Amino acid sequence: MLDSRTREIVKSTVPLLEAANTALTEHFYKRMFRDNPELKDVFNLSNQASGRQPAALFNAVLAYAKNIDNPAVLASAVERIAQKHTGFAITPSQYDIVGHHLLETIKELAPDAATPEVIDAWAQAYGALAGLFIGREEQIYQESEQKTGGWRGYRDFVVAEKQAESTLITSFLLVPTDGGEVLDFLPGQYLNLHLVSPKLAHNEYRQYSLCQAPNGQNYRIAVKREPNGVASNFMHDEVQVGDTLQVLPPSGDFFMEVSTDTPVVLISGGVGQTPMRAMLDQLIKHKHTADIHWLHACEDGTQHAFQADIQALRQANSNLTTHVWYRTPGEHDQPAEHYHTQGFMDLNQLKDGISNANTHYYFCGPLPFMAMVKETLSGWGIADDRLHYEVFGPHESL
C-alpha cells in the first residue's frame, strides 16, 4: 500500500508526463532495447515502428499516475494487459528490467525534476503496479495449467490444415503433437504463438483470434496478411501443413458470455470478423434461442472471408439474420447472393431490428470502424455495459 506522500509526489509529476508525451516511452524503449536486446525477441517490433506500442504504454503510465489514489478504476486495463502478458510468457524478472529503464528514462529526460524523492516515489509506485501484474499473471498461468487440457509455457502443435479464407485471410487448424486434450477458451479470445525460425530476424510472439468454438481437441486461428507484417507474412508464406508451432494457452479479456435467451448482434469490419466467427459458432453449437444478427463489412467478395460458412449457418438457423456491406463490389459480386448493401456500413438502416432492450453487441475491426459503431449504438441509448469490443494489437480507446 502506497502512503499518501508517495501518491502525492507521483500525482505531481502528471504535468511533466503530459508535456513529455510519447517522447517518454519512445526514449524508454530505445534505451531498453539498447541495453537488453534480448527483449527484441519478446516485444512486437512492428508496433514499435508504427508508434502504437509507445503510445499505449504512455497512456497506461499517465492513467496510473492520474488514478494512483484509486487504482480500482484501472482494473479492466490491468486485466487486459495481464492477459496479453501471459501470451508473451512474461516473467517477474522482466518487470525488474522494465522498472530500471523507466526510472532511468525519467532521470534522463527530466534531470531537474527527477529529485531523489521523485525517483523513490516512482520506484515504489512502479513496484506496487508490477506486483499487481505479477500476481494476476501467475493466477492466469496456474488457471491455464490446472484446467482440463491445460498447460503452462510452450506446447507443440502441428498445422493440420491451412485454408485460404479470402485473398488476405488464411486459417490454420492446430492439433497438439502429444495427442492430448486442449484447454477450452471463451469465444472472442485469442491463441498465443511463439514463432521461431532462421527466416525471422527475431523470435516473434503473436496473438491470433480463435475462429471456431472450443471443442477440446484443436484450435483454429485466422491470420490476415499485413503489407509489412513480419509475422503474418511468415505465417502465410512459410508455415505449411505438417509444420510444428510453439503455442501458449488461449487468453484475452474480450469474450462472449450470454444466456441462451439474450439477443446478440455481432458486428465486424474486415479481419475483425475472426473473433465473431468463434462467437457465432458457439451460439449455434449451444442452440441459442434468441435472435442473432451477423453484420459484416469488407472491401469486396475477394476479401470476404468465411462467406460460404456463414451462408450455410444462416440457411440452417432461422434465428440467424445476416447483412453484408461491400464498399466496392467486384464484377463477380452479386447483390443478395454475396452482399446486401454497397458502401460503408450504416447501422441505422437496421435499427428497428437490432435495438432490442436486452441485446448485447460485440464488435471488432479497424479503429475508425469501431468508433463509428460505438458512436452509433451509444447514440441510440445503448448502455456501455452492453457494448463489447476488441482492439487488435496495443489497446487504444475509441
Side-chain angles (χ1 to χ4, degrees), residues 307-365:
Q307 180 181 166
D309 292 346
I310 302 303
Q311 288 181 344
L313 290 174
R314 178 180 55 78
Q315 293 169 1
N317 296 274
S318 59
N319 62 328
L320 172 60
T321 302
T322 65
H323 197 102
V324 175
W325 287 259
Y326 283 179
R327 190 176 74 86
T328 54
E331 59 178 321
H332 300 297
D333 297 330
Q334 299 300 314
E337 180 180 352
H338 301 113
Y339 70 100
H340 302 87
T341 304
Q342 180 174 349
F344 293 105
M345 179 181 285
D346 180 5
L347 295 177
N348 290 305
Q349 294 175 298
L350 308 178
K351 180 179 179 181
D352 291 343
I354 66 173
S355 56
N356 183 295
N358 300 317
T359 300
H360 275 255
Y361 303 81
Y362 296 84
F363 50 102
C364 187

Side-chain angles (χ1 to χ4, degrees), residues 130-190:
L132 285 177
F133 281 120
I134 291 170
R136 176 58 185 139
E137 287 158 22
E138 179 58 27
Q139 286 180 337
I140 297 171
Y141 288 135
Q142 290 185 16
E143 290 167 1
S144 296
E145 185 177 22
Q146 294 167 3
K147 291 179 181 177
T148 300
W151 72 97
R152 183 178 184 134
Y154 308 119
R155 185 177 178 186
D156 286 345
F157 280 67
V158 65
V159 179
E161 295 177 13
K162 180 180 180 181
Q163 176 67 43
E165 306 292 352
S166 73
T167 56
L168 294 179
I169 297 173
T170 293
S171 67
F172 298 79
L173 184 69
L174 306 179
V175 179
T177 58
D178 59 23
E181 295 181 272
V182 300
L183 180 69
D184 276 351
F185 59 92
L186 296 170
Q189 291 186 306
Y190 44 77

Side-chain angles (χ1 to χ4, degrees), residues 13-31:
T13 65
V14 167
L16 177 68
L17 296 175
E18 291 177 326
N21 205 280
T22 57
L24 174 77
T25 45
E26 288 168 0
H27 184 88
F28 159 80
Y29 280 117
K30 286 179 181 178
R31 80 175 329 275

Side-chain angles (χ1 to χ4, degrees), residues 9-316:
I9 293 171
V10 169
K11 285 190 297 183
S12 74
T13 65
V14 167
L16 177 68
L17 296 175
E18 291 177 326
N21 205 280
T22 57
L24 174 77
T25 45
E26 288 168 0
H27 184 88
F28 159 80
Y29 280 117
K30 286 179 181 178
R31 80 175 329 275
M32 185 173 70
F33 290 142
R34 181 197 68 201
D35 294 353
N36 295 92
E38 72 277 8
L39 293 182
K40 291 182 179 181
D41 285 334
V42 176
F43 286 84
N44 184 329
L45 298 185
S46 295
N47 288 332
Q48 296 292 331
S50 70
R52 292 186 66 192
Q53 186 61 50
L57 178 60
F58 170 75
N59 289 331
V61 170
L62 182 62
Y64 180 52
K66 286 183 173 181
N67 294 281
I68 200 163
D69 281 332
N70 185 20
V73 303
L74 302 175
S76 61
V78 169
E79 179 65 14
R80 180 173 58 250
I81 295 170
Q83 292 283 343
K84 285 279 190 183
H85 282 181
T86 60
F88 292 89
I90 296 298
T91 63
S93 63
Q94 290 170 326
Y95 279 97
D96 294 337
I97 296 172
V98 169
H100 166 73
H101 289 291
L102 178 63
L103 296 179
E104 292 303 309
T105 294
I106 294 173
K107 293 177 184 178
E108 291 167 2
L109 291 190
D112 294 338
T115 64
E117 189 177 35
V118 166
I119 295 302
D120 181 63
W122 262 104
Q124 292 185 53
Y126 174 80
L129 183 60
L132 285 177
F133 281 120
I134 291 170
R136 176 58 185 139
E137 287 158 22
E138 179 58 27
Q139 286 180 337
I140 297 171
Y141 288 135
Q142 290 185 16
E143 290 167 1
S144 296
E145 185 177 22
Q146 294 167 3
K147 291 179 181 177
T148 300
W151 72 97
R152 183 178 184 134
Y154 308 119
R155 185 177 178 186
D156 286 345
F157 280 67
V158 65
V159 179
E161 295 177 13
K162 180 180 180 181
Q163 176 67 43
E165 306 292 352
S166 73
T167 56
L168 294 179
I169 297 173
T170 293
S171 67
F172 298 79
L173 184 69
L174 306 179
V175 179
T177 58
D178 59 23
E181 295 181 272
V182 300
L183 180 69
D184 276 351
F185 59 92
L186 296 170
Q189 291 186 306
Y190 44 77
L191 194 64
N192 302 286
L193 302 187
H194 182 222
L195 303 176
V196 181
S197 171
K199 295 183 179 181
L200 293 170
H202 301 282
N203 295 347
E204 301 283 351
Y205 287 90
R206 288 295 187 277
Q207 292 77 40
Y208 294 116
S209 295
L210 289 145
C211 57
Q212 69 179 19
N215 58 28
Q217 298 176 338
N218 53 55
Y219 297 126
R220 185 177 292 278
I221 59 171
V223 180
K224 179 191 175 188
R225 183 194 291 274
E226 299 290 351
N228 299 307
V230 173
S232 68
N233 281 284
F234 175 79
M235 291 291 292
H236 276 248
D237 297 335
E238 303 297 338
V239 175
Q240 304 299 330
V241 171
D243 288 350
T244 299
L245 298 175
Q246 292 183 349
V247 178
L248 295 99
S251 57
D253 68 324
F254 173 67
F255 50 81
M256 180 188 68
E257 281 189 313
V258 295
S259 59
T260 58
D261 59 352
T262 299
V264 175
V265 179
L266 305 175
I267 308 170
S268 58
V271 74
Q273 70 173 308
T274 53
M276 305 299 157
R277 184 67 190 83
M279 292 181 185
L280 180 60
D281 200 23
Q282 179 85 333
L283 292 170
I284 299 301
K285 181 178 179 180
H286 287 266
K287 303 185 185 305
H288 199 73
T289 58
D291 288 341
I292 308 168
H293 292 270
W294 172 273
L295 312 180
H296 179 61
C298 60
E299 186 69 19
D300 56 29
T302 68
Q303 296 188 24
H304 188 179
F306 307 111
Q307 180 181 166
D309 292 346
I310 302 303
Q311 288 181 344
L313 290 174
R314 178 180 55 78
Q315 293 169 1

